[in-house]
Amino acid sequence: MKPSFEPDTLPTETLASGPDRRRFLKAGLAVTGAALTGSVRASPAPWMTRPGAPLSNYGQPSPHERAVIRWVAANADAPGNGVSWTPLERLEGIVTPSGLHFERHHNGVPQIDPAIHRLVVHGLVGKASSFGIDDLLRYPMISRLGFIECGGNSNAGWHQEPMQVPAGNLHGLASCSEWTGVPLATVLEECGLRPNAKWLIAEGADAAAMNVSIPLEKALDDAVLALYQNGERLRPENGYPLRLILPGWEGVTHVKWLHRLQLAEQPAMARNETAKYTELLPSGQSRQFSFVMEAKSLITRPSAGQSLPGPGLHPISGLAWSGRGTIRRVEVSTDGGRTWRDAMLDSPVLPQCFTRFRLPWHWDGAPAVLKSRATDETGYIQPERQTLIAERGRHGYFHFNAIVSWAVAVDGSISHVYA
């Protein structure tokens, strides 16, 4: 598609708001008009000449979208252990379709019968209790949009050389959904808490009995016992029939297939809070219980593996999020970080949720390096990669949230660079 406007009539760096934004929109409409003019047909398309497909019980994506799938990496030595990444670069808006939400399994996906599944609450409580799924469905529910990000997301950023794979294959262990369920505080208060209860040990009903320790303050603040995801019951790979949601905290704490909550004075010091999800710092000390996911952003379009068809106007779009609250600002650089401009933030902008940002960009055909930088409501600014490495050292594997750089070559091809 060739634009119908003259690129020379646009500013070299189109701004995000005001008259320049209107000019961008006007130019976009001109492109649309040209496309419509070119699509006028003398005869109807084949699908307009015969009846379409019959009704179905459950909708499926168009077969033309079959390439929009999760990228799976399984552990060959441990069946059922592995991950799958959300194809962030192929999606729009902020909500991840349930079927594309990233997965992390330690011992496969259990097939749980909800009629016999129970949530047991015990330990330092006034009354040990057991709840069936039908019991929980009778409690008042809440809904909230929120992201979940694996603590190991983007860990290839610690490598010496940048990996050349699509954006979602690097950073797609993060997804965003509408979660609906019962506030955990409601259930805990009904059970009664003893004064010495300080920690909550949550355990899943998978074959690994994966468990983590959670400070009681968080459990009573905003934790949710989720039964629904994006309006439908949870899918098995995302915790059916019950999942713990801890807004803004690392993914391993959002325990899937939740079946046990133990109130305790001390954390369990389980594998996933000692041997994993901790980091050896340059000081020789380990960073442990770093629950909150720091502010982060990522340009998803254009991004590595994609290609610009030629000089001219191109939309830059991406996602930002922070476990500390709301994204306040996303800046975009097209010159490797020498200058920055504010991107537009799509509504809604919600705490602990994906935020979509956009910026129109006029590419002049010269080499360019694209970056985005997020700032959250606490004033935390997403760091450059070298800054993060200086702070965390060279032994990092988890919690990589540095600025990501995409290089645009003169032929329009895009690659991942450290810049």
Side-chain angles (χ1 to χ4, degrees), residues 65-124:
E65 300 298 319
R66 60 170 59 93
V68 185
I69 55 176
R70 292 181 287 216
W71 185 53
V72 176
N75 184 343
D77 296 327
N81 187 297
V83 297
S84 66
W85 282 262
T86 295
L88 297 174
E89 75 282 1
R90 290 178 175 270
L91 303 178
E92 257 297 343
I94 60 173
V95 174
T96 307
S98 298
L100 294 176
H101 193 286
F102 84 88
E103 301 172 66
R104 172 72 177 105
H105 310 314
H106 297 265
N107 205 355
V109 179
Q111 296 301 314
I112 296 177
D113 181 351
I116 59 176
H117 185 77
R118 310 288 297 184
L119 172 65
V120 175
V121 183
H122 68 115
L124 299 177

Side-chain angles (χ1 to χ4, degrees), residues 50-61:
R50 56 180 181 270
L55 300 172
S56 62
N57 293 109
Y58 202 91
Q60 298 294 320

Side-chain angles (χ1 to χ4, degrees), residues 199-216:
W199 289 80
L200 185 72
I201 301 167
E203 184 178 86
D206 59 330
M210 213 282 296
N211 60 20
V212 296
S213 305
I214 297 156
L216 187 57

Side-chain angles (χ1 to χ4, degrees), residues 228-242:
Y228 292 84
Q229 178 184 6
N230 296 330
E232 64 179 1
R233 294 294 292 273
L234 297 168
R235 297 197 174 193
E237 65 267 32
N238 277 307
Y240 182 85
L242 186 65

Side-chain angles (χ1 to χ4, degrees), residues 227-285:
L227 296 150
Y228 292 84
Q229 178 184 6
N230 296 330
E232 64 179 1
R233 294 294 292 273
L234 297 168
R235 297 197 174 193
E237 65 267 32
N238 277 307
Y240 182 85
L242 186 65
R243 180 172 194 171
L244 181 60
I245 298 295
L246 298 176
W249 283 26
E250 62 183 341
V252 71
T253 65
H254 298 237
V255 176
K256 296 186 285 189
W257 317 295
L258 183 68
H259 83 135
R260 189 170 72 87
L261 294 171
Q262 179 185 0
L263 280 297
E265 284 189 272
Q266 303 291 333
M269 303 301 279
R271 170 184 179 274
N272 286 314
E273 53 207 47
T274 53
K276 303 295 181 183
Y277 303 98
T278 63
E279 294 148 299
L280 180 61
L281 301 175
S283 65
Q285 295 184 320

